[in-house]
Amino acid sequence: MQLVLLSGGSGKRLWPLSNDSYSKQFLRLLPAPDGGEESMVQRVVRQIKSSALGADITIATGESQRDAISCQLGDTVGVVTEPERRDTFPAIALACLYLSKQKGCAADEPVVVMPSDPYIDDSYFDAIGRMVEAVKGDVANLVLMGIRPDYPSTKFGYIVPEAASGSNVADAMRVKRFTEKPTAEKAVELISLGALWNGGVFAFRLGYLLEIISKYVDCGRSFDELRSCYSCFPKISFDYEVAEKADSVAVVPFAGVWKDLGTWNALSEVLGSSTIGKSTLDSASVNTHVVNRLGIPCLCIGAKNLVVAASPDGILVADKDCCESIKPYVECLCARPMFEERRWGTYKVLEHHNGGESKSDTLVKHIFLNAGKNISYQAHNHRSEVWTFIEGEGELMLDGEVTTVRRGDVVNIAVGQKHAVRAVTDLRFVEVQLGSPLIEEDIVRYEMSWPVNHG
């Protein structure tokens, strides 16, 4: 079977630690089996690999998240990237085309699509196994997972099932109808009818979805050609485009541990400690969690029912009962991401200064390059850079010439000058950018290979 993990999100509900390129599923905050910390996507992939599913994993994501996935998961999963954000139906369609064209999966191959960030126990994957069996047993063309609700939530969509289907898969039930995010009163009524939360998990045969996809693109073309036609798909969710239009839908109920860690209040319930980072709570503080990703200490005195989160992107102080309200405020904060995790390491913006009409802008970064990794051979059209190396040893390529760089070395890179750096050991340096506009997109990349010996 093939398992597709959807990795998207704008990173606003867990601001300031998450942002557009570093969404919530990449935050390394959850307790890991080795005593360290792992992210939501690392936890889910670890659980999948230790389950009995035997699934091949493919992550469907945006190009801006490719580096974070590579850094956290390496080459243990397949990755397919959207050229642009177009909601869940196009993302799943592109992933299925990838399975068909790039991986050579047959039309009758079972495919399961699930989020990359649920907090679940191992019984979740038992339910996925039952969904796959329902697909193989032709109980329905499309099989969903329904979460047993423990309160009348207005945040989730609901699935209203009919009586048990009567198939050999005893807990698969035909779906009667869907209801999107009801009022509290309607949610109580739905639960009384046996309705389940829509867990955003779908199972089907690959050929079933390829038939739907063929309404928008010619599936006989190559994957690269199909990816270039991504804008042909409508901007619509998988629920609206497929699930609610399907005439053969079943649901498998799940009653194990399932949490949507979409708010700071929910996330604080599963953190391994009340403080992460340089943080101190006094004895009078109650039900307060602090996550500090800054290098300076945070002290809370008499704090009650609070979440305090600090990162290079900003500082949040919020009552836990109000955490669901932060998104519209964050949308008004138009600052660029100040921290990113890349395939080669991480960077943190230390300062960003707008020089105005008569002067160049200035941006200062701290860059950490993992040993053996390199930044691509590139040039910039609008900025010059000054690199000051503060720790480790590396190799610098400047207009084709390679030299060794160490702590204390300073390199000036002019506008348009080709440059790259490779870490021999873990390498830290400060990058000062001068110019306008200072944006990540101002990069022209070139093909190159590092020489084995350069004297």
Side-chain angles (χ1 to χ4, degrees), residues 78-386:
V79 179
V80 57
T81 58
E82 308 172 85
E84 60 179 291
R85 287 181 177 173
R86 296 191 71 81
D87 217 321
T88 53
F89 169 66
I92 294 170
L94 188 65
C96 287
L97 290 168
Y98 172 85
L99 296 179
S100 174
K101 299 295 182 178
Q102 298 293 93
K103 296 190 70 172
C105 295
D108 63 350
E109 178 88 2
V111 178
V112 175
V113 179
M114 62 171 281
S116 63
D117 55 7
Y119 188 87
I120 44 63
D121 63 12
D122 292 341
S123 63
Y124 184 88
F125 302 102
D126 295 334
I128 287 180
R130 294 194 297 274
M131 293 172 67
V132 172
E133 289 305 311
V135 169
K136 290 180 177 179
D138 295 323
V139 173
N141 290 332
L142 180 66
V143 181
L144 313 181
M145 180 186 290
I147 311 297
R148 294 283 187 195
D150 47 20
Y151 68 98
S153 173
T154 59
K155 295 190 304 179
F156 307 124
Y158 285 74
I159 302 168
V160 181
E162 294 179 353
S165 63
S167 72
N168 291 329
V169 186
D171 60 354
M173 299 175 286
R174 289 283 181 174
V175 171
K176 185 176 182 180
R177 69 175 189 274
F178 297 90
T179 300
E180 279 300 308
K181 296 181 180 179
T183 63
E185 294 78 10
K186 184 65 175 178
V188 171
E189 178 187 338
L190 288 167
I191 291 174
S192 71
L193 296 174
L196 306 163
W197 289 338
N198 187 343
V201 185
F202 312 98
F204 47 83
R205 294 187 189 273
L206 180 58
Y208 168 73
L209 203 68
L210 292 178
E211 287 188 15
I212 297 173
I213 292 170
S214 66
K215 295 190 301 182
Y216 301 102
V217 296
D218 177 6
C219 293
R221 305 171 70 182
S222 71
F223 177 72
D224 288 341
E225 290 174 323
L226 290 165
R227 188 177 183 275
S228 69
C229 299
Y230 194 63
S231 60
C232 295
F233 292 115
K235 284 186 176 182
I236 191 170
S237 73
F238 189 87
D239 289 283
Y240 286 146
E241 177 64 16
V242 179
E244 296 192 10
K245 295 179 180 179
D247 55 9
S248 176
V249 190
V251 60
V252 169
F254 170 68
V257 174
W258 182 87
K259 293 180 183 290
D260 175 18
L261 303 183
T263 66
W264 276 111
N265 191 19
L267 181 59
S268 68
E269 295 176 357
V270 298
L271 296 179
S273 172
S274 58
T275 61
I276 296 176
K278 291 186 176 180
S279 311
T280 301
L281 291 170
D282 76 330
S283 59
S285 295
V286 178
N287 193 31
T288 290
H289 286 79
V290 182
V291 180
N292 184 9
R293 291 306 195 200
L294 299 177
I296 55 177
C298 177
L299 173 63
C300 294
I301 304 295
K304 294 179 174 58
N305 201 48
L306 294 182
V307 168
V308 180
S311 84
D313 278 19
I315 298 173
L316 170 73
V317 181
D319 187 295
K320 288 186 176 181
D321 295 333
C322 300
C323 286
E324 292 187 13
S325 305
I326 74 171
K327 186 174 180 179
Y329 295 96
V330 174
E331 288 175 342
C332 298
L333 304 176
C334 299
R336 55 162 289 154
M338 304 293 277
F339 173 86
E340 289 197 51
E341 190 168 11
R342 297 292 184 89
R343 57 172 178 77
W344 40 257
T346 61
Y347 79 73
K348 177 171 63 176
V349 176
L350 305 177
E351 181 180 349
H352 189 190
H353 177 68
N354 189 332
E357 295 183 2
S358 59
K359 296 182 180 179
S360 295
D361 296 348
T362 305
L363 187 143
V364 183
K365 284 182 179 180
H366 176 276
I367 296 177
F368 175 77
L369 202 59
N370 290 306
K373 299 293 185 178
N374 66 276
I375 292 175
S376 63
Y377 196 38
Q378 59 188 248
H380 311 293
N381 293 321
H382 301 288
R383 70 177 185 253
S384 61
E385 296 178 346
V386 180

